[in-house]
Each structure stands twice: as structure tokens, then as C-alpha cells.
Amino acid sequence: MCCVSLNVNIELYVIDLRFRFGDLLYEGVVDVHVNSVGDLMLNAVDLRIKSVEVGGRPVDYSYDGKVLRVRGPVSGVVRVLFEGRVSDRLLGIYRAPYGGGYIITTQFEPTGARYFIPCIDNPAVKARFRFRVSVDGDYDVIFNTPPLRVYWDGSWKVFEFAETPRMSTYLLYLGIGRFFESRDRIGNIDVVFATPFRDRVEDGRFAIDVAKGVLDFYSNYFGIPYPLPKLHLIHVPEFAAGAMENWGAITFRETALLVGKGSTELTRRRVAEVVAHEIAHQWFGNLVTMRWWDDLWLNESFATFMSYKAMDRLFPDWGVWYRFLADETTGSMLRDSLVSTHPVHVPISNEEEAFEIFDDISYGKGASLLRMLENYVGEENFRKGLSNYLRKYSYSNATEDDLWSSIEEVSGKPVTRVMKAWVDKPGHPVITIEDSGKEVTLRQSRFVLGGNTADTWPIPIIYRLNGVVNTILMERDSLILSASSASLFLNVNGSGYYRVKYGDWTRALSNASNHFERWSVINDAYAHLLQGSIRLDEYLGLVRSLSNIVNYLLTTTIISQLGTLYSIKPSAVKEVFTEYLRVQGSLLEGVSGMDDVRELVLSRRALIDEDYARSIVGLIKDYQGLTPVMRQAVVNAYAVVGEGPFETLRELYGSLTTDEDRTKVLTAMLSITDRSEYQKSLDFLVSSEVKRQDLQFFTVGSRNPYVRDLNLRWLMSNYKRFIEAYGDPGVLSRVLTYSVPLIGIGQEDEVERFLMGLDIPGIEMGVKAGLELMRVYSRLFRNI
């Protein structure tokens, strides 16, 4: 139904729903104010259709369990009476359990609304929505807009909500249960935190404060006020994603929203970023929506990029652009170094394919390209272009070409030509530096971990030569600079989405003038190590030269790189890795304002430095009394050197009250090195004691180099659980991307037979990426 918008126009849905909360059942009436040229086809999956009327008269219809078809053309009001059931699958309308009961909640992106009501579940078919919801008890109901009236009709509590603006179906939200709230205001906007837990209300205060700040920032930055009268931040106890930008009613999993007394600095910064990301969607995605899922990146890349701009304004001391490169650019460049990557703008032929592209490319690569574009056109031209774009397409749909045209018109630069090359084709370039002594030749090709291939991009290069910064657009496969490479540094401030291959990596590192540039060198060197074009000792020499610098970007990047190398072959890097973490830990002692870095260093050190692990393992007896920064390190230490680690960690897991702490313990369980104890952790992962949303933590265990065969057997037995729990194949696809490369080392043939035998639509990208990166890691395992 990707092209249904071409012959259908819907102005309004009027929806009346009656919920029997305890039975998890509801019945409804949907009045669709519609004009269709041909037959009217409404998405309606697993609903019971009772009757269909047009203009008040019954009409014949067909329904196959997925699509409700009414013979057209249809003009006027189509009334559908139906019944639905609340499911346990984390998609559509579902039951989210917690200790004291459950709430009914929804998750519709990309195709979940069709499990809820009969509708045209396509982002291009926008309409207004008018909801009335009745519940058989004294429950609270949250919708996108505030209630106009709340009253009792006998034993039914009735909520009549204000009409929404024109919006896409995937942005609808409905929550039913008992919610406890904390409220604030900014201007005429109510900002509301809602949770099912009475004792967690204060833990939403930080998110409210962030929300107020970013609402103000975006309203001023875009020159467009937030268009709804309220904004809910909703704590959902079982949630497949991190968060979802439903217009005016944003949902979050606990670890992306709540900040309590035991929360770490890493959690505070993650919560700020996620809140800022979802609120950015209120403009990018909600006010202006991509026309079809192939432009998903218009939503996600912009929300990602803008969230960092907002955090930089709210928390200028955080150094958020260090975090951007570490958390967004680094991972996306690795994924984009595979032949099996996909373009940022990826062709999508049907809705089912959309599930797979919620990944590093749609988020991290797209956001990194926007950072490069802003550097190219200038901050103010970039801002004006975005503002004009949002104004022109408000309450409507747009494509990437519409955006490029808007920025090009303001900046006067060839934005469309440049950006389409980057967005519409896969991969990214590497620039090789060739120095003849009198001049330097820059040559570009596509960087691929399996071996570079010929290709060109229009690359906005910012380089420094003899202390002077210059900008040039490299559009051909080679470019000559009349200078020696002795003082040349490419990719100033790490702003470009490309790699550089230096002839002398040590000199390149000495030419770097800040942490962004040092990151650029070590990130490129690591990629070339994976490719096999530099030696391990050469790469480790760069690591040693950076070991005395404590910085979120550099420390996080090096820990991640060495961590992956350790997962591939522990003996190859353990000595260097242990020493690096010891030096970093020593430098961080007594330093204030760097608890996020300290937590990363100590938690990783506890996993590979047995002496350090033994020195802190006893602290697990007073887990709740530990400072937040030490908790992950202590449970990690127990996983490695503790006696009977599984049962102790399981008991601790059961005693904890926050998801933040529970996930720390789950992470430690999946880091246990004893094989029999680790198997118990895998069994625990699929037990009723662990939330369905946390099944994805299997990817943590996949990094454990001592239990690859156990992980493979578990995956082969349990892969279907990912689809059953989350309701779509996209999660399984991403799990395969992240877990298969490390699990497969030493058992490549068995892994390939297993994956190639899976006949599951919607996981093809994950299978290809997982197998390709597995071959890269297996080759490295043999050569280091």
C-alpha cells in the first residue's frame, strides 16, 4: 500500500473506543471522512470487523484479516464497527506489565496502527483525529491531545479528547492505566511526566527540566512554536525501543527517562539526549513527515543531530560533540564499511522492509552527514534552510529533495548535487595521501573492510597545511596540493564523513591539534587494521601514545576498539588493554566532572584485569551502598572472579527496583567466563524474571570470547523469540548484525549454514552484514 496516498484523501477520523481493561478487550466505532477515487482499502490486522456503512447505509465489504476493502469510489463518511484485543507483543496496542499490574499502551511506528484501528496506515495519508475513550473503571487515559471532558457514564469513565492536527497514523498514542504525574509549564505548554509507579514520580524531574529547555531551544532555532498545548513524557515499563516520538505523548523505556538518586552520570546524559531527540521529532517527523519510509532518515538523522545541538546549548560543559562522534559517527562508519551496507536514503518497496532500517545508517550516518553539511554551508544558512523547509511543509509530507532545495536556496552552494551523492548511494570514501616530496596527491576510493573499490564522492575537505586551514570540494578521484605532507592534516575537527590513509600514522597523530582530530586518526587507523592494511603493533603504538589523555571521545573510542579486538582474540591485546585501563583509571582518580568516563574505564577494567577485579569483588555485599559510578565495575568483577557468580548475581537482580541497576547486573551475567555459569545466564535471559524488552542484551553476551559455541547454540534455538517478543523482524536483523561477527569466529561454516537456512522476510540486511563482518573478524583472528 505504499502508493495508496495517490487516490485517497482523508480529512478526519472520529473514533469511539470502549475498553474492558481487565479482559484486555475493546470495541470501537471509526468514522472515516474520506474521498477515494477507486476502492477504499483500510489497513486492519487481526481485528474483528462487525459492520461497514457508507453514508449511514450498510455496504458490502471484504476483509482478509489484513485489509478491509470497500468498493469505490467512496465519498463521505465510512463507519466501521469492530472489536480488538490487547496483545502481549510489543507492537500495536499491548499490555505492558509491572510489579503492581499493567498498563495498556501503544507502539505504532512503522506499521502498528493497523493492529489498533481500521485506518490507512501510511505516513503520507495524514488526517485529523478525534478520540473518545471509555474505560470500565477508574483509570487514567493519555492521548496525543489533552482531554476536553472527563465524566462518568454509569460504570464507564469517559474521556473526550481535543482534535489533533493533521498527522500520520504511526504517531498516534493511547495509554490506559493508573498513572502518577509531575507537571510543569513553559509558556502555555504543559509538560507532564507520567509513570505507573507512585514512588518514581520525582525521578522524572530531570527529564521535565530537559524537556522545557529543549522546547524553548527548538522553538527559537526553527522559528516555529511547538504546536500542541501539552507534552507528555510517559514511562512505559515494557518497551521494545528506547523511546517513541508520538506527537504530544512521547513514550520511553525506563532507562531512557528516569534519573534517580542511584543514577550515574552516563544515565543522566543518555536521558538528556533521548528526551532532546524525541522532542526534535515534534518538528522533524511530526510537523513535517517523510512521504515514504525510504526517507526515514529525514526523521531520525535530524532528530539525532538536533538533539546534540540542543544539549550543547543546555549543557555547554558536557562536551556533547565528543559524545556525538563516539556514539553516532564511529559505529555508523563501521557499519558503512561493509559492501552490505545500505544508502541513507534506502529504497523501500513495502512497509515490512521499513523495520530493518532503524539502524546506525539512518541515525548515525545521516546525522554525521548533516554535521558535515552544516560545516560546508555555515551554521546560519543551515538553520535558515531548515526553518524554511519546516514552514513550507508544515502538517504535510516532504522528501529529501525538498530539504536540499531549501538549504541550497539560502546558501547558494550546490547542496543538492553534493548531498544526493552522499545520501543516495552506500558507503563512504577514503582519501589516500601520496607524497612525492614536492607535492601531495590525494586519491579517493570507497573504503571497504574487505578491500577498497573505485568510487568518487564530492567531498567537502577541510584541511590544515602549515597551520592554515583551507576548504576545498574534491569531486574527482584525485587532487594535487602543491605542498609536502609533513604538516598536512586532513579532516580538521573530524567534521567530514570520510577516512584518511596516512603514510605515517605517528606523524599524523602529532599533527592533530585537538581531541576531535586525534579521534579521527585513531578511528581511521583502527579501520585500516580491520582491513588488514596496517599492522597490529602499529595500531597499538598509537594507542600507547594516547594513553595519557583522558577524554570521553578518545577514551570511549579506544576502549571500544580494544574491547572488540579482545573479543576477537584476547591474547593479542590483553596486556596493552590492561595497561591502558590502569593508566586511565589512575589519571581519573580524584578528578571531578568525569564520572561518565570513570564508569566506562572501571567497568571494563573489572572484566579483563583480574587483579583489579579481586580488589573490588567483595564490595558486591553492599551493592546499594556503592557510589553509582562503581556499581557496574563491582558486578562485572564478580562475574569474572566471584564464586558461583550466576546465583549471586541472580539474587541481586531480583532484589533491585530500577531497570538501570537490573541491566547492570544482566550485563555482568552475560560477561561470566565460566561456561556452565554462563549457560545459566543464557537460560535466565529467556525466563519470566527478565523483561521481554531486554532480550536484546544477548548482544552483550555475543562479545564474550570464551563461550562462542554456547552463544551459537542459544541463537539457533531462540532466534524466533525476537520476532515473537517485538512483533517485527527488524530487531532480529539488528541482533544478527551485532552478534554474528563475534560469535562466528572459529565456527564460520556452521554459522553460515544456519543463517542461509533462515527464510524470514525482513532480516536480509542483518544476515548479510553479520556474515560479512564475521569474515573480517575471522581473518583478523588468524593474522594477529
Side-chain angles (χ1 to χ4, degrees):
M1 295 183 72
C2 66
C3 299
V4 72
S5 58
L6 297 178
N7 60 7
V8 175
N9 179 60
I10 295 179
E11 286 298 322
L12 175 69
Y13 292 88
V14 180
I15 299 163
D16 192 348
L17 303 174
R18 292 167 64 89
F19 280 85
R20 299 199 297 276
F21 188 86
D23 296 330
L24 297 172
L25 297 172
Y26 63 101
E27 58 185 12
V29 180
V30 175
D31 287 341
V32 187
H33 295 242
V34 61
N35 285 291
S36 74
V37 174
D39 290 354
L40 174 66
M41 294 183 292
L42 298 176
N43 299 110
V45 178
D46 296 340
L47 301 174
R48 179 170 175 258
I49 306 300
K50 298 168 67 176
S51 67
V52 179
E53 299 176 355
V54 177
R57 296 181 179 181
V59 297
D60 291 334
Y61 64 90
S62 64
Y63 177 57
D64 62 1
K66 294 183 178 181
V67 176
L68 172 63
R69 180 188 292 264
V70 181
R71 186 177 298 279
V74 178
S75 181
V77 178
V78 177
R79 168 165 287 195
V80 182
L81 276 66
F82 70 101
E83 293 178 349
R85 177 180 294 274
V86 178
S87 77
D88 278 334
R89 177 190 55 229
L90 305 180
L91 178 70
I93 182 165
Y94 69 93
R95 179 182 69 98
Y98 58 93
Y102 61 83
I103 63 170
I104 294 173
T105 188
T106 59
Q107 168 62 26
F108 293 154
E109 188 179 33
T111 60
R114 63 192 64 186
Y115 294 91
F116 174 50
I117 57 172
C119 60
I120 297 185
D121 196 12
N122 182 302
V125 185
K126 288 191 169 186
R128 293 172 286 117
F129 294 83
R130 192 182 301 156
F131 263 69
R132 183 169 73 169
V133 179
S134 304
V135 195
D136 63 345
D138 191 11
Y139 298 100
D140 304 304
V141 179
I142 299 174
F143 180 60
N144 302 79
T145 55
L148 297 175
R149 295 178 62 206
V150 180
Y151 58 93
W152 286 90
D153 180 8
S155 62
W156 294 87
K157 189 176 183 181
V158 183
F159 294 76
E160 295 181 359
F161 292 96
E163 188 173 289
T164 72
R166 287 184 61 83
M167 60 185 286
S168 302
T169 50
Y170 79 90
L171 295 168
L172 288 168
Y173 178 73
L174 187 66
I176 305 173
R178 291 189 170 89
F179 293 98
F180 303 93
E181 294 185 342
S182 176
R183 291 176 169 266
D184 207 332
R185 285 181 68 83
I186 177 169
N188 60 356
I189 303 166
D190 286 319
V191 182
V192 188
F193 166 74
T195 175
F197 300 92
R198 186 190 300 272
D199 60 350
R200 304 299 301 275
V201 172
E202 284 305 308
D203 294 350
R205 188 67 245 178
F206 176 71
I208 286 179
D209 290 341
V210 171
K212 289 168 59 182
V214 297
L215 279 169
D216 182 62
F217 172 73
Y218 292 144
S219 295
N220 291 322
Y221 183 88
F222 298 129
I224 301 171
Y226 174 73
L228 295 179
K230 64 92 173 175
L231 177 65
H232 260 94
L233 310 174
I234 306 161
H235 169 202
V236 179
E238 273 270 22
F239 195 49
M244 176 60 205
E245 66 265 21
N246 316 297
W247 213 354
I250 305 172
T251 47
F252 300 80
R253 69 165 53 191
E254 182 176 310
T255 53
L257 182 63
L258 273 60
V259 175
K261 293 180 180 178
S263 293
T264 66
E265 186 62 22
L266 277 173
T267 295
R268 282 172 55 85
R269 298 191 184 197
R270 167 172 159 75
V271 166
E273 188 270 322
V274 176
V275 169
H277 178 106
E278 303 307 326
I279 295 179
H281 274 307
Q282 309 302 295
W283 285 264
F284 268 95
N286 300 10
L287 181 65
V288 178
T289 310
M290 77 259 146
R291 192 165 295 165
W292 180 238
W293 295 110
D294 53 1
D295 271 326
L296 171 71
W297 78 276
L298 281 176
N299 288 11
E300 300 303 346
S301 298
F302 271 93
T304 300
F305 181 65
M306 290 305 304
S307 69
Y308 285 88
K309 291 187 77 69
M311 283 196 298
D312 194 33
R313 177 65 61 86
L314 267 63
F315 305 104
D317 296 334
W318 278 9
V320 299
W321 295 109
Y322 291 143
R323 185 180 177 110
F324 178 88
L325 287 171
D327 297 356
E328 310 297 342
T329 306
T330 303
S332 68
M333 290 191 88
L334 178 65
R335 175 73 173 84
D336 204 40
S337 299
L338 302 175
V339 173
S340 56
T341 188
H342 63 80
V344 174
H345 174 99
V346 56
I348 296 292
S349 60
N350 58 67
E351 292 100 328
E352 286 70 26
E353 293 180 0
F355 286 103
E356 271 200 286
I357 61 172
F358 289 81
D359 62 5
D360 288 335
I361 302 301
S362 295
Y363 287 73
K365 179 180 179 179
S368 301
L369 295 182
L370 294 176
R371 179 172 177 258
M372 183 170 71
L373 174 61
E374 185 186 56
N375 273 278
Y376 176 55
V377 302
E379 288 189 32
E380 184 57 19
N381 285 334
F382 185 79
R383 187 198 66 78
K384 285 181 180 178
L386 297 190
S387 179
N388 293 345
Y389 164 84
L390 290 171
R391 289 180 184 278
K392 184 174 182 179
Y393 297 100
S394 288
Y395 305 105
S396 186
N397 299 84
T399 67
E400 60 162 303
D401 291 343
D402 299 321
L403 176 64
W404 302 146
S405 296
S406 182
I407 299 175
E408 183 169 303
E409 185 177 338
V410 171
S411 68
K413 293 190 175 182
V415 173
T416 301
R417 177 165 56 83
V418 170
M419 292 308 296
K420 283 187 74 64
W422 286 90
V423 169
D424 290 356
K425 70 177 182 178
H428 59 273
V430 57
I431 300 175
T432 301
I433 299 175
E434 300 175 358
D435 189 354
S436 67
K438 296 181 179 180
E439 60 184 20
V440 172
T441 301
L442 308 181
R443 298 191 188 279
Q444 68 160 303
S445 55
R446 177 178 172 181
F447 183 85
V448 181
L449 290 175
N452 297 339
T453 59
D455 208 342
T456 58
W457 283 258
I459 310 175
I461 297 177
I462 305 177
Y463 67 96
R464 187 172 53 252
L465 188 62
N466 298 322
V468 178
V469 175
N470 300 277
T471 301
I472 191 169
L473 187 64
M474 180 181 181
E475 298 193 72
R476 297 183 179 179
D477 59 359
S478 64
L479 178 69
I480 296 176
L481 300 177
S482 299
S484 165
S485 66
S487 65
L488 176 66
F489 189 89
L490 295 187
N491 206 1
V492 169
N493 291 326
S495 60
Y497 197 80
Y498 56 87
R499 301 193 187 279
V500 181
K501 185 177 183 184
Y502 292 97
D504 186 333
W505 291 95
T506 301
R507 186 169 65 188
L509 192 58
S510 68
N511 285 342
S513 64
N514 56 42
H515 295 323
F516 296 113
E517 295 175 4
R518 295 181 188 100
W519 165 83
S520 181
V521 174
I522 196 68
N523 187 46
D524 290 346
Y526 175 72
H528 282 93
L529 170 67
L530 296 183
Q531 191 186 56
S533 50
I534 70 169
R535 302 184 314 276
L536 177 64
D537 62 338
E538 194 172 0
Y539 163 78
L540 293 178
L542 298 175
V543 169
R544 290 189 183 94
S545 67
L546 293 169
S547 62
N548 287 313
I549 300 175
V550 176
N551 166 264
Y552 181 91
L553 173 58
L554 288 174
T555 302
T556 301
T557 298
I558 291 172
I559 287 176
S560 176
Q561 293 172 355
L562 291 175
T564 298
L565 295 174
Y566 185 86
S567 294
I568 293 171
K569 193 171 188 177
S571 61
V573 295
K574 183 172 183 177
E575 182 179 344
V576 172
F577 199 4
T578 302
E579 182 60 24
Y580 177 81
L581 292 169
R582 284 176 178 167
V583 171
Q584 290 277 302
S586 176
L587 292 171
L588 284 162
E589 288 181 9
V591 176
S592 61
M594 298 197 74
D595 276 358
D596 55 338
V597 182
R598 188 162 181 256
E599 181 183 358
L600 290 167
V601 169
L602 298 184
S603 61
R604 180 61 70 140
R605 185 179 176 190
L607 290 177
I608 70 161
D609 184 345
E610 290 86 352
D611 291 340
Y612 176 67
R614 293 188 192 96
S615 73
I616 63 172
V617 68
L619 298 176
I620 198 170
K621 296 175 182 177
D622 186 28
Y623 178 87
Q624 297 284 16
L626 293 171
T627 59
V629 77
M630 284 298 298
R631 290 181 178 180
Q632 186 70 70
V634 169
V635 291
N636 282 359
Y638 203 87
V640 174
V641 301
E643 185 176 347
F646 172 74
E647 280 303 328
T648 299
L649 292 173
R650 180 181 183 176
E651 288 179 16
L652 177 58
Y653 183 94
S655 71
L656 298 171
T657 58
T658 71
D659 280 4
E660 182 178 348
D661 281 324
R662 280 190 286 261
T663 56
K664 284 180 170 59
V665 176
L666 195 58
T667 295
M669 284 182 176
L670 293 166
S671 303
I672 290 173
T673 54
D674 180 274
R675 292 174 57 81
S676 61
E677 293 286 294
Y678 181 80
Q679 182 61 55
K680 295 175 185 176
S681 299
L682 286 177
D683 296 338
F684 182 71
L685 188 62
V686 293
S687 72
S688 61
E689 296 178 63
V690 177
K691 292 185 177 184
R692 288 168 293 160
Q693 68 179 26
D694 292 332
L695 188 62
Q696 298 174 64
F697 272 75
F698 172 68
T699 58
V700 175
S702 70
R703 301 184 65 83
N704 190 331
Y706 304 104
V707 289
R708 289 187 179 118
D709 59 326
L710 301 182
N711 280 327
L712 177 56
R713 287 205 297 271
W714 185 93
L715 181 61
M716 293 171 71
S717 299
N718 291 280
Y719 68 91
K720 291 181 181 178
R721 290 179 183 266
F722 290 98
I723 298 176
E724 293 165 355
Y726 299 113
D728 73 79
V731 174
L732 175 58
S733 179
R734 289 185 288 277
V735 166
L736 296 177
T737 298
Y738 297 132
S739 63
V740 163
L742 292 166
I743 291 175
I745 296 172
Q747 42 194 6
E748 294 84 0
D749 292 344
E750 190 175 0
V751 168
E752 186 157 1
R753 282 194 301 272
F754 162 59
L755 291 183
M756 298 312 291
L758 296 179
D759 184 19
I760 303 174
I763 67 167
E764 294 87 354
M765 287 184 182
V767 168
K768 290 178 181 178
L771 289 175
E772 184 180 353
L773 193 54
M774 177 188 74
R775 296 182 191 106
V776 171
Y777 288 168
S778 295
R779 181 186 65 211
L780 188 64
F781 174 83
R782 295 190 299 269
N783 293 334
I784 61 174

